[in-house]
Amino acid sequence: MLAKLDELCAKSLEAVQQAANTEALDAWRKETLGRKGAVYLMTRQIGQLAAAERPSFGQRINAVKKELEAAYQRRLAELKAVELRAQMASSAIDVTLPGRPQWRGRLHPATQTLRQIYRIWGDMGFQIYRSRDVETDEYNFELLNIPQHHPARDMWDTFHTTSPGVILRTHTSPGQIHAMREYCPEPIRVILPGMCYRYEQITARSEIQFHQVEGLAVGKNITLADLKGTLTDFARRIFGADRKVRFRANYFPFTEPSAEMDVECILCDGEGCAVCKHTGWLEILGCGMVHPNVLRNGGYDPEIYSGFAFGMGPERIAMLKYGIQDIRYFWSNDLRFLEQF
Ligand code: PHE
């Protein structure tokens, strides 16, 4: 019996060293020291021994148990250390790997165009004047010489708020009145950029919201020649030095005379293509000499002062510059579009 016990002890000590990982070690413990393990089975056999042999056998069993338990603890510590080292090696950070590229944001194409426009006008001495998006009917129409029921109102279909007479501006022109009332009687050179809103059917050419950059110069002795010279210079700076421009007579209630400025088509160089509808010209802005009524509404005496004004759509300019076919791309937040700029 004792010999058997010694043999079990020796075998188990060998086996515990062979357990290759903590899982195998757990299994060993169950088989050896567990509730129905080999050592327990030995204990059960104590009854077969002569009474005199029992105490020494019992002592020996206890000693074996202790020895095996100690061997288990030692092996467990060894295996845990090995496993920890392996885990650290496999999840190590390789500091020599190249970093992940950072995703870089960029400016929206409309913002890029706006900034180009600001720069050019800034170079010519025009300051940026901000005015509100929510306007009154009075500023958006009346003070710009567009009374109630005037047919010209059809050109600017409006979003109304729940407050009577409070609307979203349909153009940046009401800013002209704000600027004049603030600066009068000083001379003015400002551009008025901002979002405008029109209640329109959305198509490839028209959106319900878009930017405009308005311009206003007021002072003594400002003439149509100043308007033409300044706008021609602007067109050359934004579209290229040898772009031709032309002025076509037009009608706006708040300017007199009024015109639209066309630039030679930048896609076909004036040859005629689908974008310029085979005319060779692209319309880029409306302009004119500030109407005497509007000067008066701004506080200036039209007998002494005169001025010119213009309004352009930067999205339209970006469309022409980059050959963008559909204005709806600007506000649809599609990265496939935005990332091209
Ligand atoms: N406000 C006009 C528009 O929205 C543009 C314009 C501005 C025309 C200033 C003349 C002078 O169409």
Side-chain angles (χ1 to χ4, degrees), residues 155-156 170-173 176 198 210 212 214-215 252 254-255 258-259 285-288 309-312:
M155 286 198 282
W156 295 282
T170 58
H171 50 179
T172 43
S173 301
Q176 289 187 30
R198 287 186 198 173
F210 51 90
Q212 273 192 349
E214 187 93 4
F252 294 106
F254 34 89
T255 46
S258 304
L285 55 82
C287 57
F310 57 86
M312 63 181 85

Side-chain angles (χ1 to χ4, degrees), residues 179-337:
M180 284 194 274
R181 288 188 171 179
E182 186 172 332
Y183 289 121
C184 183
E186 300 295 319
I188 298 178
R189 266 180 191 70
V190 290
I191 55 168
L192 308 106
M195 194 62 92
C196 302
Y197 310 85
R198 287 186 198 173
Y199 184 63
E200 299 198 79
Q201 198 182 355
I202 300 173
T203 68
R205 288 181 59 102
S206 59
E207 255 283 16
I208 56 168
Q209 65 174 69
F210 51 90
H211 285 104
Q212 273 192 349
V213 179
E214 187 93 4
L216 175 68
V218 178
K220 290 175 185 162
N221 307 318
I222 293 182
T223 68
L224 188 67
D226 297 313
L227 175 152
K228 286 181 76 175
T230 314
L231 287 174
T232 304
D233 199 39
F234 166 77
R236 292 196 175 136
R237 292 199 197 194
I238 196 151
F239 291 114
D242 37 41
R243 275 300 136 198
K244 289 196 191 95
V245 294
R246 72 174 182 190
F247 290 83
R248 259 184 305 106
N250 194 31
Y251 170 74
F252 294 106
F254 34 89
T255 46
E256 182 60 36
S258 304
E260 278 183 330
M261 186 173 86
D262 297 340
V263 56
E264 187 186 35
C265 181
I266 50 186
L267 297 168
C268 64
D269 283 333
E271 296 278 314
C273 69
V275 174
C276 62
K277 295 202 201 99
H278 304 284
T279 61
W281 296 96
L282 299 165
E283 169 206 324
I284 63 158
L285 55 82
C287 57
M289 299 306 289
V290 181
H291 194 285
N293 287 348
V294 175
L295 281 172
R296 219 173 277 121
N297 290 339
Y300 291 85
D301 179 350
E303 297 299 326
I304 305 171
Y305 293 93
S306 57
F308 67 79
F310 57 86
M312 63 181 85
E315 281 90 23
R316 188 162 159 70
I317 290 177
M319 286 171 82
L320 298 176
K321 270 189 94 134
Y322 302 116
I324 300 164
Q325 304 290 334
D326 194 322
I327 197 170
R328 289 169 293 192
Y329 286 131
F330 283 94
W331 314 120
S332 56
N333 276 343
D334 188 337
L335 287 179
R336 290 171 301 177
F337 170 73

Side-chain angles (χ1 to χ4, degrees), residues 76-214:
L76 183 64
E78 273 170 28
L79 288 176
K80 277 200 169 156
V82 169
E83 284 175 10
L84 180 64
R85 249 177 278 128
Q87 195 197 345
M88 283 187 1
S90 71
S91 62
I93 298 168
D94 181 352
V95 291
T96 65
L97 277 177
R100 294 199 185 96
Q102 273 281 332
W103 189 81
R104 284 182 73 208
R106 67 193 77 203
L107 293 175
H108 190 282
T111 308
Q112 291 182 32
T113 310
L114 277 169
R115 291 192 179 182
Q116 270 179 312
I117 294 171
Y118 298 164
R119 251 209 101 102
I120 295 171
W121 288 106
D123 286 349
M124 295 199 271
F126 284 71
Q127 273 186 293
I128 292 178
Y129 187 93
R130 300 259 173 209
S131 77
R132 58 196 74 157
D133 288 29
V134 179
E135 270 295 355
T136 56
D137 184 281
E138 187 191 12
Y139 273 81
N140 196 80
F141 295 119
E142 305 263 337
L143 295 170
L144 292 171
N145 214 24
I146 316 170
Q148 287 287 344
H149 312 298
H150 191 288
R153 287 203 180 207
D154 291 352
M155 286 198 282
W156 295 282
D157 244 338
T158 318
F159 284 110
H160 295 264
T161 68
T162 44
S163 312
V166 179
I167 61 174
L168 297 186
R169 65 176 171 195
T170 58
H171 50 179
T172 43
S173 301
Q176 289 187 30
I177 305 287
H178 291 293
M180 284 194 274
R181 288 188 171 179
E182 186 172 332
Y183 289 121
C184 183
E186 300 295 319
I188 298 178
R189 266 180 191 70
V190 290
I191 55 168
L192 308 106
M195 194 62 92
C196 302
Y197 310 85
R198 287 186 198 173
Y199 184 63
E200 299 198 79
Q201 198 182 355
I202 300 173
T203 68
R205 288 181 59 102
S206 59
E207 255 283 16
I208 56 168
Q209 65 174 69
F210 51 90
H211 285 104
Q212 273 192 349
V213 179
E214 187 93 4

